[in-house]
Amino acid sequence: MSESNTAQTAGFFRCPVQPDLAKATIRVGRQSVIATLQEQSIDGFTLLVEPKHALKLQVGVPWVLITDSERLKVRAEWMFHAENGKVQLAVRRLEDLRKAEDSDRHSWAMFTRRVRGSGESGGNEIAFAGIVLFLFIALSMPGLGDRLGTAPRIQAAVEGLINGF
């Protein structure tokens, strides 16, 4: 076999999908269609759909293909009525939506509290807490706090907290 023939057949190579992994759902807007993965390649899938459900699918509109392990935005390449009465679809992968969900999740990571293992504490956190405590004490002392006018306010706030508890 020559190199050009090998390259052509490699571009169309599809692997059959095992029946226990073949369950999929196609989402078009708010509608869902149950599908069965028939074949898979590096750039897409071949799916089987019941004819009555195939009527819900609009070609030209991106779909979301959901399997147990993937969530992909796909585009329909072609539809064909198979011999077994089902509609066979070929879809091409457009975008992996799990990566987008993961990046959204990580963008909120800086606003969430990080839980450390038992006995671990960050030196920076302890230093920052010490500096804040030192400033709080300095501003509430009679000499400096009275000159700045902060001592009576801080003392009143501390008394209010103690009375509240």
Side-chain angles (χ1 to χ4, degrees), residues 116-148:
R116 298 184 182 274
S118 63
E120 272 188 61
S121 60
N124 293 339
E125 295 170 353
I126 293 172
F128 180 74
I131 291 169
V132 169
L133 184 61
F134 173 77
L135 287 173
F136 186 79
I137 291 171
L139 292 174
S140 65
M141 293 182 74
L144 180 62
D146 287 337
R147 249 185 269 147
L148 295 174

Side-chain angles (χ1 to χ4, degrees), residues 136 154-165:
F136 186 79
I154 293 176
Q155 289 171 356
V158 169
E159 287 175 9
L161 288 173
I162 290 172
N163 291 335
F165 286 118

Side-chain angles (χ1 to χ4, degrees), residues 26-135:
I26 300 171
R27 297 194 123 228
V28 182
R30 294 184 182 185
Q31 294 184 346
S32 295
V33 174
I34 302 298
T36 304
L37 295 174
Q38 187 178 27
E39 297 173 328
Q40 175 176 338
S41 72
I42 195 163
D43 64 341
F45 299 93
T46 305
L47 308 163
L48 290 176
V49 177
E50 293 291 330
K52 63 182 178 182
H53 298 301
L55 297 173
K56 297 178 186 177
L57 301 175
Q58 299 174 5
V59 177
V61 177
W63 304 337
V64 176
L65 179 66
I66 303 168
T67 65
D68 288 339
S69 61
E70 293 182 303
R71 185 177 179 91
L72 304 165
K73 184 184 281 188
V74 295
R75 180 187 72 215
E77 293 288 311
W78 49 261
M79 288 183 161
F80 175 75
H81 287 278
E83 296 173 2
N84 60 3
K86 297 196 179 207
V87 175
Q88 190 176 29
L89 308 168
V91 296
R92 180 174 296 272
R93 297 173 197 239
L94 296 177
E95 180 182 358
D96 187 355
L97 297 176
R98 286 180 304 152
K99 291 179 184 175
E101 290 171 358
D102 289 344
S103 68
D104 289 346
R105 202 173 298 138
H106 292 304
S107 68
W108 287 97
M110 68 179 178
F111 298 112
T112 59
R113 181 176 172 221
R114 292 184 186 145
V115 179
R116 298 184 182 274
S118 63
E120 272 188 61
S121 60
N124 293 339
E125 295 170 353
I126 293 172
F128 180 74
I131 291 169
V132 169
L133 184 61
F134 173 77
L135 287 173

